[in-house]
């Protein structure tokens, strides 16, 4: 509410009653996304994964905890990139991913307004990681909260990123262009895989051509 620039609601591509529609879509989808998510969580905490309770249980101690945070981010960023890009394929897009692209000028409420299959598929890398690599349970919970906050943040229309990291961090400006131009900036946290996969686009907001600039030019007219 406080970070999102409400002036964006005046953009021509902002839909009528969009916030209400985003919330309604998310509320319909989240229970269905939760069913397989909870099943995987049970498998993870009941000993089928490599989650552990105590720092002493890690062969690398505290250093292993910090390294697992970094590897979790890079692993899930890679997984989400390819899943997200796959969901843009014509076989899957119209049925599963198109509902999320209704919101050209997204608000934070659009962050969870997914088709249930879409939302669950893009969460899979988070669940796969602890089956492959050791991860402290509290660290896992903290990271899961972080990725949800991050997902909200890249839909909030706040394009501020430190200048040195503008082309490294996949922020709101990058994801806004993904919603506007479709075939670019599939990544979650970083721009690495977009650059490897040839789908990176320098955000229009950084070039003075973003939604805020469009609104400013409208006001000037």
């Amino acid at each position: 509410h406080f970070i999102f620039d409400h002036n964006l609601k005046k953009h021509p591509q902002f839909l009528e009653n969009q916030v209400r529609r985003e919330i309604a879509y998310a509320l319909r989808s989240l229970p269905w996304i939760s069913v397989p998510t909870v099943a995987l969580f049970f498998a993870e905490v009941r000993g089928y994964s490599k989650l552990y309770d105590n720092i002493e249980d890690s062969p690398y101690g505290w250093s292993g905890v910090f390294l697992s945070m970094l590897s979790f981010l890079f692993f899930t960023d890679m997984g989400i990139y390819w899943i997200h890009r796959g969901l843009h394929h014509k076989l899957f897009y119209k049925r599963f991913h198109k509902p999320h692209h209704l919101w050209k000028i997204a608000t934070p409420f659009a962050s969870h307004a997914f088709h249930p299959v879409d939302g669950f598929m893009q969460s899979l890398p988070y669940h796969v990681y602890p089956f492959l690599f050791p991860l402290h349970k509290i660290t896992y919970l903290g990271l899961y909260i972080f990725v949800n906050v991050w997902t909200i943040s890249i839909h909030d229309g706040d394009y501020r990123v430190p200048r040195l990291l503008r082309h490294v961090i996949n922020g709101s400006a990058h994801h806004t262009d993904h919603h506007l131009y479709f075939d670019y900036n599939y990544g979650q946290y970083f721009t690495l895989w977009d650059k490897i996969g040839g789908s990176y686009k320098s955000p229009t907001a950084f070039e003075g051509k973003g939604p805020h600039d469009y609104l400013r030019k409208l006001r000037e007219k």
Side-chain angles (χ1 to χ4, degrees), residues 9-68:
K9 293 179 180 179
K10 300 173 184 175
H11 195 283
Q13 289 183 284
F14 195 88
L15 304 179
E16 186 177 357
N17 297 322
Q18 181 174 314
V19 172
R20 182 184 293 272
R21 291 167 65 183
E22 289 170 339
I23 293 171
Y25 201 97
L27 288 174
R28 288 196 301 270
S29 297
L30 284 171
W32 295 104
I33 296 172
S34 297
V35 172
T37 300
V38 170
L40 279 171
F41 267 136
F42 269 114
E44 288 161 359
V45 301
R46 292 293 176 88
Y48 295 98
S49 68
K50 295 187 178 183
L51 290 175
Y52 58 90
D53 292 288
N54 304 304
I55 301 298
E56 298 78 27
D57 298 331
S58 169
Y60 305 107
W62 280 104
S63 61
V65 173
F66 293 115
L67 285 172
S68 68

Side-chain angles (χ1 to χ4, degrees), residues 79-171:
I80 291 168
Y81 173 82
W82 288 109
I83 290 170
H84 188 184
R85 187 163 183 169
L87 285 163
H88 275 253
H89 190 278
K90 62 182 179 180
L91 292 176
F92 308 110
Y93 177 76
K94 187 175 181 179
R95 182 69 182 88
F96 299 120
H97 195 55
K98 187 177 181 179
H100 185 63
H101 276 270
L102 287 174
W103 334 112
K104 300 295 184 184
I105 303 296
T107 80
F109 292 108
S111 61
H112 289 71
F114 286 102
H115 184 284
V117 173
D118 184 1
F120 177 69
M121 288 300 293
Q122 293 201 57
S123 75
L124 267 179
Y126 308 137
H127 296 292
V128 170
Y129 182 93
F131 285 103
L132 299 177
F133 308 104
L135 185 61
H136 191 277
K137 286 182 179 178
I138 302 300
T139 304
Y140 185 32
L141 181 60
L143 287 166
Y144 212 83
I145 293 169
F146 168 78
V147 299
N148 274 277
V149 172
W150 184 270
T151 301
I152 293 167
S153 77
I154 62 174
H155 291 85
D156 68 9
D158 184 352
Y159 307 141
R160 290 173 294 181
V161 175
R163 185 170 294 274
L164 288 175
L165 298 177
R166 279 186 169 186
H167 298 289
V168 176
I169 300 296
N170 181 73

